[in-house]
Every structure is written in C-alpha cells, then in structure tokens.
Amino acid sequence: MEVSAQNPNEIFDVVDENDCVIGQATRAEVHRKKLFHRAVHILVFDADGNVILQKRSLAKDTAPGLLSTSCAGHVDAGETYDSAAFRELEEELGIPPREAKNLKFLFAMPPQEQLGWEFIRVYALRYAGTLVPDPTEIEGLTALPPEKIDREIRERPPAFAESFKLVWEQFRIRAKV
C-alpha cells in the first residue's frame, strides 16, 4: 500500500491578491491551477536556542527529502492562520495546543511562485518538551543553531526546500526571537 503525506481532496480557501476568501477548491485543483491560498510555517526553537529543522518525508508531493521549517502546512477552508498553526504543531510534531501557548506570530509573506502561490504566516515557538514527528510527514528532525543554518544554506543550497530558504531569509532579516 502506498503511503501518502497529503490528501489531494482536502478543501482549501481560495483567496484573492488581498488574502480575502473568494471560494474553495481541492488541494489538487489549487496547485494545478496555481490559485492563491494560505499556509503557515512554524520555527520551533529548543531550550538551547537551536532551530528544529525537519527532513520532509519522501512521500511529500513537494520538496521530498529536503530540509525545511520545523512544521508547516496549509490552512484548511474556514480555518484561521492561528488555528492552522496550532493544528500543524500537534499533527506534525505532537505538540498539543496547551503546550504551545507561547506561539508567536512573526511576519507574513505574499504569494509567489517559489512559495507555491501561498500567503504565508510565519510563527515561532520556544519548546523544551519532547517532539513526536509524524512519520508520514517527517523523515527526521535535526536541531541547529541559526548561524549553522545560514552556513549550511550557503554551502548546500540543494539540501533545503525553496520555501524554507525564502522563509529563513525573511526571518533573519525581520524577526527578533
């Protein structure tokens, strides 16, 4: 049986250039037609200030096997960015909402081709608990200091998902965590 890390029939809100909902469509249709939709990325920091990076499952339809944000996902139809962030933390890393109270919104990014035409909101979470990665989503986790991530992206850019490199660049420019 083939394991899939995504459901092509999930329903997402389709949004206009101002991030206002104008309809709904399946995941497959949104991606095929390159429609604007929404996603969240969460950077999880451990007790030592390292950033947890995920190695994406080989079953993912985009960037399989590449390093990316700690946790990321689409915003489902009718869902808010914040609720999607809490849901993704629990689904992908096993962090229940009650343990993610210090989740902090950092910045938003407009849609562009390299981001899959997604409006993205980026969050940060400091978390010292145990992470339980979902094996259908995540091949593995690694914790690196921010400076080492900078160096790794310069030295081994193909090892990283394009969306992560763009999110990380904006994080290093704009965020103070």
Side-chain angles (χ1 to χ4, degrees):
M1 182 170 104
E2 184 179 319
V3 175
S4 178
Q6 54 277 317
N7 174 358
N9 298 315
E10 287 178 281
I11 303 295
F12 300 151
D13 284 331
V14 176
V15 297
D16 65 14
E17 65 278 356
N18 297 310
D19 197 16
C20 296
V21 176
I22 58 171
Q24 283 81 35
T26 65
R27 173 193 187 93
E29 183 178 11
V30 161
H31 288 169
R32 184 177 62 255
K33 293 182 177 178
K34 300 177 181 177
L35 303 172
F36 290 166
H37 56 294
R38 297 170 170 167
V40 295
H41 283 246
I42 303 107
L43 296 167
V44 177
F45 292 79
D46 68 15
D48 298 321
N50 295 313
V51 179
I52 307 299
L53 296 181
Q54 70 163 270
K55 182 176 182 184
R56 292 172 58 82
S57 163
L58 295 176
K60 297 298 284 183
D61 60 356
T62 58
L66 299 182
L67 294 170
S68 192
T69 28
S70 315
C71 174
H74 289 96
V75 177
D76 291 337
E79 190 176 36
T80 66
Y81 285 101
D82 288 355
S83 60
F86 283 111
R87 176 181 51 76
E88 290 291 344
L89 281 166
E90 187 163 30
E91 288 177 2
E92 291 191 10
L93 296 175
I95 302 173
R98 71 181 178 283
E99 293 182 25
K101 297 268 190 252
N102 64 344
L103 182 68
K104 177 182 172 187
F105 168 72
L106 298 178
F107 56 88
M109 296 177 69
Q112 54 185 292
E113 186 173 4
Q114 301 93 321
L115 296 174
W117 303 111
E118 297 168 345
F119 278 92
I120 292 177
R121 293 213 180 157
V122 179
Y123 296 80
L125 176 70
R126 291 201 181 274
Y127 186 72
T130 301
L131 299 175
V132 183
D134 176 351
T136 63
E137 298 272 347
I138 299 171
E139 186 88 9
L141 299 173
T142 187
L144 297 173
E147 300 75 25
K148 183 153 188 188
I149 295 172
D150 295 337
R151 187 170 59 251
E152 290 288 318
I153 289 173
R154 278 193 312 275
E155 294 174 2
R156 301 185 316 125
F160 295 86
E162 286 301 316
S163 60
F164 172 72
K165 290 187 278 190
L166 291 169
V167 166
W168 186 252
E169 177 184 39
Q170 287 302 306
F171 169 73
R172 295 300 270 167
I173 290 169
R174 300 161 72 166
K176 306 290 185 233
V177 177

